[in-house]
Structure formats: structure tokens, C-alpha cells
Amino acid sequence: MSGDFHTLSLKATRDAIADGSLRAVNVTRAYLDRIEILNPTLNAYHEVFADRALHTAQRVDAGEIKGPLAGVPLAIKDNLCTDFGHTTCSSKMLADFRSPYTATAVRRLEEAGAVILGKTNMDEFAMGSSTETCVFGVVRNPWDTRCVPGGSSGGSAAAVAAGLCAAALGSDTGGSIRQPASFCGIVGLKPTYGRISRWGLIAFASSLDQIGPLTRTTEDAALLMQVMSGQDELDSTCAPDDVPDYSAQIDQPINPLRIGLPRQYLSDKNHPTVAAMMDRATAMFKEMGATLVEIDLPHTEFGIPTYYIVAPAEASSNLARYDGVRYGYRCENPTDLVDLYSRSRSEGFGDEVKRRIMLGTHVLCSGYYDAYYTRALRVRRLIKQDFDNAFASCDVVMCPTTTGPAFPMGQNSDDPLAMYLNDIYTVTCNLAGLPGISLPGGFVEADGRKLPVGLQLLGPVFEEARLLRVARMHEKASGLSNLIADI
Amino acid sequence: MTSASPALDIDLPNGTTARLMVGLEVHVELATKTKNFTSTPNVANRGYFDAEPNTLCDPVVLGLPGVLPVINREAVEMSIRVGLALGCEIARHTKWDRKSYYYPDLPKNYQISQYDEPICGEGTLEVPITDDPTGPTKRVRIMRAHLEEDAGKLLHEAPGGYAIDYSIIDLNRAGTPLLEIVTHPDMGSPEEVVAFCKTLRDICRHLGVTEGILQRGQMRFEPNINVVIHRDGQTYKTPIVEVKNLNSFKAVYGSVKHEFTRQVEEWLQTGRVMGQRAKSTRGWDDAKGVTTHQRHKEDADEYRYFPDPDLVPLNVSEAWLSEMQADMPELPAVKRRRYLGEFGLDAKACDTLLDEPGLTRFYEAVLAQGADARKAAAFLLNTGSKRANDQGVPLHELGITPTQVKGILDLLASDKVGSSAAEQLFGLCCDNPEVSPEALANKHNLLQVSDTGALEAFVDRVLADPKNARAIDDLKQGKDKAIGALIGQIMKLSKGQANAKIVTELVKKKTAAG
């Protein structure tokens, strides 16, 4: 019964259910079985909705639910609100929280017939690059369980790579989709800011957060993008721009294609194998007729400091609502209001969250605001300008997603700065509001470990279709598609 | 104004003068259909005044995880209308900021407000300081007006006044659009402050942006008060006091007056003057008639303002602005001049008509039908007000339409109905707003008989009645009072439909001729 359904891509699963050769219930059951076996090791899921998922699948089989994703089993990052189960942000603060409403992106997936298998673990409030700040335990990388899956969408990435779902949703504030996608050998797309409604995405840094898909193929990413994108009257930062037909375009190669290689990204900080991956990709694109252009992104080095001012500033404000008054964790026996606030928050949040709240509170204080926040916004504009200039001479920018492959658990957990540097290639994309995609770039072997590493493509705003087409070219040429960790 | 101000309750030493300086922060709850950032109904909208606690809530109001605000267009338009009425510069580009502070009635622990780009900039308001509409005014400069959200309410006793040893929260008010209007410290007496508050309230109500019910907190006043003292060629400024959350004109008057005296007294005792950012907050004790210390603001408040990333900045286009300009109603001060001058109404009628914007609109709708301004005013304020009082319903909501009022006025003017019939007719119209007064008068036999032939028959019958001989004699001898009994009988005979005026003429003529 439970065949190797998990090795099918989302699109193949969808097509097989649609043409009747597979029953949605069997597919869902197979995934649930696999979760039961593997999740205790990986800890990708915090909560699994077995009954609800099977019920939805039955309705798909009965023809009661139709749509472009009918019967496709998906996982949802646990910072997306669902009116079923819990929505915890992997935090003690929201460990028992149930949302009365569902995020727009999740609702659209369900309306398209998707089967939601469960909610995945993440770094607490999406703050982290390793999913080690998850209050429900660390998530393991299915390629090597001694390593982290990346973060903050580590649970989603691990679930996709281990075949515990056909695809998953993540959110990306400074690389939280692309970095774990890179570490787990899958495709992770961070859309243009405003492409997908943030309604129901628990805010970390509102001006940077975007929801996006984690999939095993570029086609699967296109399918999910299609369903989730587009205007939402509940999010005024969500763009009214038309949504192109991503799937219809994805197999059209771009020719001529100009690929920009930022000179700043080829730093000596890169793991030697990452440089090798870049060389392979460059050669591959050259062979396909692409022109390679060296481009200049002069403000790149300010990306991390700018990000670590803007993101904590917004987070300190966004997380102010978790005060123990109306919902969420409340300390025991508060003596007065201030005690209720301070103990609920210091007991309910983990160290990384508190660190960022303090950072953000500090930079927004009246005496420091101009020195930090105003300046950071100015640099942010310069970074955006860098990209605008770059896209005058190239169609996409290509660079590594990360400086190296997944690192062993515990390696960076006592060194926040080292952890923050993980975001070096991913944050500028969020600061500039651009779409970025990480796709499998190959495998590297080091210290007896064989780990995937990701290749990143960045495009101009609302050019997700272009990114997907270029990514598809690489996917076809490299054969690095639908990789499933052998666990 | 100097030490001669009647508001100062103490005598100043010789050679010392004290000048009061008051600026205002006024919070106006806008009566939009829905809250400022979500589609849940607004407690400041009439239909929801008395909503049960915590029923006007949704995930946005509660500040649940994952929610986003979306700006309310109606609230923006109302704010701009107030700005236009106050002659403010309207921002073409405006944005919202987060103002952070922790309090249980503020679900997100930040308030969405406007920091450095308020929707309305500098303006002025000419405040009448006498009853004469052409009399002198006090010019008060407006600094700004910005659109923010209200907080909920923290209650320290249970509904019904029961004591509890904890606090409870009602979030119905949370997220109500609030326009904060800030003036320069241009007011120099409690009278001027109250006159400003009243004028502003009238304007806001006539613009239809708020019901302006003070007891419900729909307009809240916060005077910023200090005193400039001159002595021996030196100038001393007392520390600024902000009196929080006043919701009656009496409290505004009382607190300003009390502060004036209190600050001068304090200065005489301590000599303390305004320091860097020195500002303290006081409350108003209505029972004792004094202000009481709440807290010092020696340091600037740390609100950590920053632009709200969840809201997009708003551009006010010229087209949109001119549309709103074109839609601006006539302001109450202009109306007052017109009613008193052009219409020749007396001050009392004028005030009554302007006191309730709904009534003003109703009255003007009657005039738009071509009715005579004075007659319409008199009729509405007598017949209409009487019924409104009896029924406990505002006149303009009794049911009668402006067209019907014009119809009754026409029937009165052409003597087809008398005044008591007109009153009955008014009531009938209230119950039958679709039916014309003429038809109703017909149906209910209220049209009076003015046909002299028909009336003469009634008159003759009564005059021929022997029991009336005495009255006729009295009348002939100049005892005019005697006519009443005769007319009463004629009216009775005609079932009340005889035109009393014509009947009187006829009786007089016939008794004189006889």
C-alpha cells in the first residue's frame, strides 16, 4: 500500500491523483506512515493532523474537493496561522496558542485542494539559522543527522528533503527559506516583497518577511507560487500586480541570458567546495549560451549590519503584544502588572528572541534612532540601488546561497555573531525586496560527510517567472532535481 | 489680557502681571462605520454606541499573532474634512507610525499613530467670543491634526459597580479612529478655551465626522496650561501642566481656571519656572473642582516611534482632495450668519436649529423645497419640537419628510388647514411618510371649509338659535369676548373644518349689520 509515493514530485503526485492512477488517501497515508517512522529522528514536525489530512484526502477522492493542488500533501511552517491545531512559532510563548483564523496563503492552498499534513518546527519566532532555537527540540538534517537543517524554516526544509511531505511553506526574513533549502538540497523561493499576502504570517520583521515555497523541483515551486500569489485586501503591502502563469513559462529557456556574478560575493570566506559549485554552474550556463557579466554590488558588506538593525527594530515592536495579558504564556502568580509583563516575557521567550528584542528596542530609542535606524534605512536604499544598477546589465544575479554546507549542531549556537554571518548572501535580497531562489547546486564531501549545497539566483522585483525559468535551465542541465535524502 | 483676568482668584503683588497661556490637544472619535484598521464595527458609530463589552472585536482588534492593519478610507476622508474646515494644510503624502508603550488596554502594546507626517498641518480657527455672529473672534492657530487609533478601556469594577480585586478590559473602543487636533498655546482665558472647544465640536458635528457626545468620550480635551508672569521687568514662565482626558466643558473651564490660580500661587511660593522639557500631568477632580497631580514628565517620553511597516504611506491626490473640497458642507458659523441675517431668524431659533446637525439638514431640506425660512423655522420649532418632546425622538427622526413639511406649510398658507389641524397633520405625516399631507388632510377631514356660501349657512343657523340671543346682544354692545362662544358652536357644527378666520369675519359682519 504505502509505496514510494514520497519520491514523486508534487506535480507528479498531483497529476497521478488527477488522472485517477493514485488515490489521495493512499498518498496521504503513505506520507503519514513515513512521518511516524522518521519524525522522531528528524523532529521536522511539531504537530501532525492525521485525521484531518485523511479526511481532506477522502474528500478529494470523492471529487468533493478539486483544484490545482487536489490531494497534494503539504507541510506548513508553524508561524503561519491555521484555525486548526496549534500555531506556536516554536516558542514557549505560544506553545498552547490556537489561532481563530487561517493565513491567506494557507487558505489559498487549501482552496486549491492541498492536504495539510502538519506544522513544522522552526527557529523560535523565525529568529535563527539552524532551527536550534526551537523550543520543541532541534531539527536534524536528513542528509546527515549530526548537522543542522538550516533555519529558520528548518523543519519545513527537512520534511521536504526527507520525503515527509510533497512540499512545504516557509517564511524568509533574511534567508530563512533559501538557507535551509541550500542545506537540505531542495528548492526554496523567497518571492518579491508583496507578492504573497502576509495575513496570518506571525510577524518577525514586517518589512522583510515573505512566505514562500520549499519544494524538490522548480516546477513544484511554480505550482505553489501560482496558488499563493496575488492581492489580498487584508494586507495593504501585498501588491495588486497580476500573477503570471509560472508553470506555463517555466520550460521556456531564456536566450539570450545574461547572468550577473557579483564580485563581492566571491569572497575567500567561501568554503572551497562552494567556489567549485559556482564554477560548475558558471560552466553549465556558458554551455547553454548564457553570457556571464561581472557586476558590482558595492554595499553588500553593509547588508548584515543593516539587517541586524532593521529586523530587530521591527521585531521588538511586533513581539510587544506577547505580554501574558490576552493569550499566550503567562507567568504564575504575578504580583502586579509590571511583574506580569516582565516575567511572562522573560520566561516565555528564549535567549535569541530576547537578544533581538533588546537590540531592536535599543536602536529605536530616541537618542539612537537616527544613528542606527535612520542610517540603516538609508543603506537599505543604497543596497536596493545597487541591484537596480546591476539589473541594467544582467537578467539575474547568481551567487552562493551560503558560504558552505550545513554545519554540525551546536557549532554556532554559543556565538551569535558567527550565526548571523550565515545570512551574508541572503539578507540583501530581503533588504531590497527582491525575489531570490536557492536550488540544489551539488554535493560537497567534507569531514566524511556528503552534504548538498545551494546555488542562489536573484531577480528584479516581480520577476519570479524569470528566476524559475533560469532555475529550471540549471535543474535540467545538472540533473539536480527531486533529491530525497536517503535516511 | 493681564492680571486683570477675572479668572485669577488671587490678588497679585503690585507691579506683577500674569498672563494665562493655553494650548489644547483634542481627541475626536470619528464615527466611521468600521474601525480604523479593520472591518469590525466602530463603537463611535451611532449604531454601536451601546454594544455589549468586547463584542466589537476581531483578530486585528485583539492584536492576535499574524494580523495586519488596513487603513480605513472613510477615516482618512473625515480627517481631511476636519483639516479643510480648520484651514489646515493637507498633506499630499502621509504615513503612520507605531508609538510604543505597554498598557493592558492597548492590545499590540503599540498605538498606530502619526509622528512626523500628520495628515493635517498648520491651520487656524476663528473662535467667536460673543453671541454676535459679526462680533470679534479669537484666532487660534492649529499646529496639526493626525489620525490614530483609540485604546480599549480598563475597568476597575465589574459592570453594575461591583468591587473586584483585579481589572477587566473592554476592547470595544480599541481601534476606533481618533483624530488628535493640536493647537498652539493661543488661548488666554478659560472662556476662550471653552469657546474653542464648543466651536470645534460644532464644526465636527456639522461635518458629520462625530456625534460629539462628550459623556461618551467622543471628544476629549487636554489643555496644556502655563502662566507668563511679569515682575520688575522680568519674565517668568511657570512649568507646563497637561490636564488629561476632560470630557465636559465645565471640566475644561474649571481645570483651566484652577490651574491659572494654582500655578501663580505655586510660583509665588516656590519661584519654580519652566525647565527643559518640564511638563507634568494632572487630572481633574470634578467633585472638588481641583486638578490633582498624576505624574512628572521630566524626561521626554520614550515611545520609540518608527514607521509602521504594515501600512503603506498614503498619497492624497489633487483629484481626491478637490472632490472632498467640493463636498464640504457649509460650516456652522456661516450658517449662523445666514440664518440671522438673510433669514431673519431670532437667535434662539437659530441656535436650536444649529444645535443638532440632523435638524439643521432637515430644516435646510425643507427650505430646498421652496419653503419660507421663517415660517418653516417657526412651524418646526413649535409643532415639530412639541411632538419630538412628547415622543422623545429627535425632530428630524420623527418620520415626517421635508416634502411633507413643505406640504403642510403650503396648506397653512392657502388657509386649507388651520393651525390645530396642521398639528394633527404633522403627526399623521410622521406615521405615513409616503402619503402627501393633502391626501392625509382629506382622509381625516382636516381641510377647512373656506367657501363663504357653505360657511354662511353654519353661521346663520347658530345666529338664529334663540339661546344665542344674549351673546349676540353682548356682541352688539361691544363685548367682543362674546364672539368666542358663537364661533365655538359654528366650528362644532362644521366638525371643526370651518375656517375660523372667515367665520369670525362673517359673524362680525352679520352681527354688525343686524
Side-chain angles (χ1 to χ4, degrees):
Chain A
M1 256 284 286
S2 68
D4 287 340
F5 300 144
H6 68 275
T7 59
L8 295 175
S9 72
L10 181 157
K11 183 166 180 274
T13 308
R14 192 266 319 250
D15 292 345
I17 291 170
D19 70 18
S21 50
L22 276 184
R23 290 185 60 222
V25 167
N26 292 343
V27 174
T28 298
R29 194 166 285 138
Y31 273 106
L32 290 171
D33 289 348
R34 204 171 152 80
I35 291 168
E36 210 175 304
I37 297 163
L38 292 178
N39 200 55
T41 307
L42 295 176
N43 195 31
Y45 284 94
H46 171 58
E47 190 171 20
V48 176
F49 312 118
D51 293 344
R52 189 176 184 279
L54 285 168
H55 180 71
T56 309
Q58 275 158 7
R59 293 185 59 207
V60 170
D61 288 334
E64 292 166 27
I65 298 177
K66 293 185 166 61
L69 299 176
V72 170
L74 301 179
I76 305 293
K77 187 177 181 179
D78 208 12
N79 60 352
L80 287 157
C81 290
T82 50
D83 65 6
F84 47 93
H86 293 82
T87 301
T88 71
C89 270
S90 293
S91 177
K92 184 176 175 186
M93 185 57 87
L94 291 176
D96 297 318
F97 180 70
R98 289 172 180 273
S99 170
Y101 73 100
T102 297
T104 298
V106 178
R107 184 178 52 75
R108 286 182 180 173
L109 293 179
E110 288 216 283
E111 282 168 3
V115 173
I116 309 298
L117 292 173
K119 306 283 281 282
T120 57
N121 280 318
M122 51 186 276
D123 277 303
E124 184 181 5
F125 279 97
M127 296 173 184
S129 309
S130 65
T131 317
E132 289 171 295
T133 69
C134 171
V135 77
F136 306 117
V138 295
V139 177
R140 288 166 193 274
N141 190 318
W143 295 96
D144 183 335
T145 53
R146 290 165 297 177
C147 290
V148 302
S152 64
S153 312
S156 284
V160 174
L164 301 189
C165 58
L169 289 197
S171 67
D172 190 318
T173 306
S176 282
I177 287 174
R178 291 159 291 154
Q179 186 253 20
S182 168
F183 283 7
C184 290
I186 57 172
V187 176
L189 173 62
K190 185 215 82 94
T192 308
Y193 186 76
R195 180 72 292 182
I196 294 175
S197 167
R198 292 185 295 118
W199 173 260
L201 167 65
I202 298 183
F204 162 13
S206 314
S207 75
L208 302 163
D209 296 342
Q210 266 294 290
I211 298 167
L214 292 119
T215 59
R216 290 192 293 261
T217 73
T218 53
E219 285 180 312
D220 293 353
L223 277 171
L224 293 184
M225 282 301 294
Q226 200 73 52
V227 169
M228 292 189 291
S229 300
Q231 197 170 9
D232 178 11
E233 59 175 26
L234 295 172
D235 177 3
S236 45
T237 66
C238 186
D241 302 48
D242 283 340
V243 180
D245 190 335
Y246 299 114
S247 299
Q249 295 182 35
I250 194 165
D251 272 315
Q252 299 163 11
I254 295 180
N255 198 358
L257 172 65
R258 297 166 305 164
I259 293 183
L261 298 171
R263 103 172 31 103
Q264 286 80 4
Y265 284 35
L266 304 169
S267 78
D268 46 13
K269 292 186 199 82
N270 289 344
H271 195 282
T273 53
V274 166
M277 170 201 72
M278 284 297 290
D279 292 342
R280 267 200 316 278
T282 310
M284 221 177 286
F285 275 114
K286 253 187 198 158
E287 221 164 279
M288 288 186 274
T291 320
L292 293 147
V293 201
E294 194 174 82
I295 55 155
D296 204 20
L297 299 171
H299 296 94
T300 298
E301 59 169 313
F302 303 115
I304 293 276
T306 303
Y307 175 80
Y308 277 96
I309 289 169
V310 174
E314 294 182 7
S316 71
S317 165
N318 286 330
L319 272 62
R321 68 191 64 194
Y322 308 109
D323 59 5
V325 173
R326 294 163 308 281
Y327 55 81
Y329 178 78
R330 176 185 285 189
C331 67
E332 281 185 32
N333 304 317
T335 54
D336 58 19
L337 184 60
V338 172
D339 187 47
L340 168 73
Y341 282 153
S342 60
R343 277 205 292 129
S344 297
R345 288 170 65 77
S346 43
E347 293 166 18
F349 289 135
D351 285 348
E352 185 57 36
V353 173
K354 281 187 270 193
R355 179 159 32 239
R356 299 204 195 191
I357 289 174
M358 285 188 277
L359 266 176
T361 305
H362 178 72
V363 300
L364 288 179
C365 282
S366 52
Y368 302 97
Y369 184 88
D370 284 334
Y372 291 116
Y373 195 73
T374 309
R375 222 190 233 176
L377 292 189
R378 212 175 301 143
V379 178
R380 194 174 172 179
R381 279 193 295 275
L382 293 173
I383 289 171
K384 170 92 172 70
Q385 228 163 51
D386 280 358
F387 279 105
D388 289 345
N389 296 338
F391 288 123
S393 61
C394 68
D395 301 305
V396 295
V397 169
M398 185 168 81
C399 58
T401 310
T402 48
T403 52
F407 47 84
M409 285 188 296
Q411 181 178 293
N412 292 330
S413 36
D414 294 329
D415 185 353
L417 260 182
M419 191 70 97
Y420 294 174
L421 286 173
N422 264 293
D423 304 333
I424 190 160
Y425 292 138
T426 47
V427 291
T428 49
C429 165
N430 300 77
L431 289 167
L434 308 177
I437 190 168
S438 177
L439 52 148
F443 287 87
V444 300
E445 274 181 71
D447 311 327
R449 286 185 277 268
K450 184 173 180 249
L451 288 168
V453 66
L455 178 70
Q456 187 175 215
L457 298 169
L458 307 174
V461 290
F462 298 109
E463 290 292 354
E464 283 81 0
R466 187 191 297 175
L467 283 188
L468 286 164
R469 287 165 70 188
V470 179
R472 178 79 174 131
M473 289 165 71
H474 182 272
E475 186 182 42
K476 275 181 172 167
S478 67
L480 294 166
S481 179
N482 201 26
L483 306 174
I484 293 178
D486 187 17
I487 179 167
Chain B
M1 218 165 287
T2 59
S3 60
S5 168
L8 194 54
D9 284 338
I10 50 167
D11 294 323
L12 286 168
N14 278 340
T16 306
T17 62
R19 184 164 59 90
L20 179 66
M21 281 181 82
V22 185
L24 273 169
E25 288 171 25
V26 185
H27 285 96
V28 183
E29 285 185 356
L30 302 178
T32 50
K33 287 189 263 323
T34 59
K35 297 205 184 199
N36 210 10
F37 297 108
T38 178
S39 57
T40 286
N42 171 10
V43 74
N45 182 282
R46 220 176 158 182
Y48 298 92
F49 281 176
D50 296 310
E52 289 293 311
N54 292 312
T55 54
L56 306 179
C57 290
D58 66 9
V60 174
V61 174
L62 295 171
L64 291 189
V67 299
L68 298 168
V70 176
I71 187 69
N72 182 336
R73 187 188 172 94
E74 194 187 8
V76 171
E77 291 188 340
M78 284 183 172
S79 305
I80 292 178
R81 260 149 64 194
V82 174
L84 289 171
L86 299 178
C88 293
E89 223 169 278
I90 306 298
R92 298 304 193 275
H93 180 272
T94 187
K95 68 172 173 74
W96 280 267
D97 303 276
R98 294 182 181 178
K99 177 181 179 179
S100 298
Y101 62 93
Y102 280 81
Y103 206 63
D105 64 5
L106 190 67
K108 303 183 293 296
N109 287 319
Y110 61 80
Q111 177 194 30
I112 303 178
S113 182
Q114 298 196 288
Y115 180 55
D116 54 354
E117 292 186 39
I119 189 152
C120 304
E122 294 270 346
T124 51
L125 180 60
E126 297 291 344
V127 181
I129 44 176
T130 66
D131 282 343
D132 177 4
T134 57
T137 56
K138 170 77 191 180
R139 168 172 292 202
V140 176
R141 290 168 302 150
I142 308 294
M143 203 179 281
R144 57 183 278 168
H146 66 257
L147 176 58
E148 59 186 23
E149 58 177 343
D150 210 344
K153 274 182 188 162
L154 206 53
L155 309 168
H156 306 289
E157 54 183 36
Y162 299 103
I164 44 177
D165 59 359
Y166 49 90
S167 301
I168 52 177
I169 309 170
D170 177 8
L171 292 175
N172 276 359
R173 200 180 65 178
T176 284
L178 205 56
L179 186 67
E180 179 174 337
I181 301 161
V182 186
T183 79
H184 285 276
D186 289 350
M187 287 153 280
S189 69
E191 289 80 7
E192 283 180 3
V193 179
V194 170
F196 176 90
C197 295
K198 285 186 170 169
T199 307
L200 181 64
R201 177 173 179 268
D202 283 348
I203 289 173
C204 289
R205 294 179 77 234
H206 278 271
L207 290 172
V209 305
T210 184
E211 301 283 340
I213 302 173
L214 302 187
Q215 307 90 283
R216 289 186 183 271
Q218 292 174 352
M219 280 184 88
R220 310 193 287 268
F221 306 98
E222 301 186 337
N224 278 250
I225 307 158
N226 79 330
V227 184
V228 180
I229 298 167
H230 289 280
R231 190 177 66 187
D232 305 332
Q234 292 268 36
T235 302
Y236 306 89
K237 291 180 178 170
T238 59
I240 297 175
V241 164
E242 176 171 317
V243 186
K244 300 299 280 183
N245 261 326
L246 303 174
N247 58 5
S248 77
F249 296 134
K250 185 176 154 244
V252 170
Y253 185 91
S255 62
V256 172
K257 188 170 186 301
H258 177 259
E259 268 306 303
F260 191 11
T261 304
R262 193 195 64 76
Q263 289 188 19
V264 171
E265 270 179 337
E266 189 182 79
W267 177 79
L268 287 169
Q269 280 165 24
T270 68
R272 208 166 84 87
V273 293
M274 191 198 296
Q276 197 77 32
R277 289 187 187 137
K279 182 169 168 178
S280 58
T281 302
R282 298 179 75 89
W284 171 245
D285 185 329
D286 218 17
K288 294 188 185 143
V290 296
T291 62
T292 53
H293 178 76
Q294 286 184 335
R295 69 187 169 113
H296 267 297
K297 282 187 179 179
E298 291 295 344
D299 301 310
D301 285 310
E302 185 54 83
Y303 288 125
R304 299 191 305 280
Y305 279 104
F306 81 107
D308 192 331
D310 288 333
L311 288 162
V312 286
L314 181 76
N315 291 310
V316 179
S317 71
E318 294 302 324
W320 187 21
L321 192 57
S322 6
E323 215 174 279
M324 284 184 274
Q325 255 155 348
D327 278 351
M328 280 292 281
E330 189 179 41
L331 296 178
V334 181
K335 283 194 197 296
R336 195 171 148 81
R337 275 200 292 280
R338 195 158 59 89
Y339 286 11
L340 293 173
E342 190 185 321
F343 295 172
L345 301 188
D346 61 53
K348 189 165 171 270
C350 177
D351 289 345
T352 312
L353 287 171
L354 288 176
D355 192 46
E356 175 49 54
L359 177 57
T360 313
R361 282 191 289 276
F362 188 84
Y363 171 63
E364 295 200 355
V366 173
L367 300 194
Q369 304 281 326
D372 175 82
R374 285 178 74 168
K375 284 187 178 148
F379 180 63
L380 285 177
L381 297 180
N382 294 322
T383 308
S385 296
K386 198 173 151 209
R387 188 175 169 91
N389 274 339
D390 290 348
Q391 309 257 317
V393 175
L395 200 164
H396 55 284
E397 286 170 16
L398 283 169
I400 188 169
T401 67
T403 315
Q404 286 178 314
V405 174
K406 171 65 163 60
I408 299 176
L409 289 169
D410 287 347
L411 292 174
L412 271 169
S414 58
D415 276 337
K416 287 188 179 149
V417 295
S419 56
S420 74
E423 201 175 315
Q424 277 186 60
L425 203 44
F426 190 94
L428 288 166
C429 285
C430 291
D431 299 332
N432 303 281
E434 313 81 27
V435 188
S436 79
E438 189 138 29
L440 287 169
N442 247 324
K443 189 175 165 201
H444 295 271
N445 294 321
L446 293 174
L447 288 175
Q448 54 188 5
V449 178
S450 299
D451 166 24
T452 322
L455 290 178
E456 231 167 307
F458 293 134
V459 174
D460 290 346
R461 246 173 89 182
V462 169
L463 293 183
D465 189 335
K467 75 170 192 234
N468 285 328
R470 173 118 180 256
I472 294 167
D473 273 350
D474 285 351
L475 201 56
K476 281 181 178 167
Q477 284 162 31
K479 291 182 183 166
D480 285 349
K481 273 189 184 165
I483 202 169
L486 298 173
I487 291 182
Q489 290 174 53
I490 298 164
M491 293 306 285
K492 202 175 164 191
L493 207 58
S494 75
K495 293 184 182 126
Q497 286 172 277
N499 182 330
K501 219 160 70 189
I502 299 174
V503 169
T504 310
E505 304 277 305
L506 283 174
V507 172
K508 276 183 181 165
K509 203 168 91 191
K510 284 181 190 277
T511 51

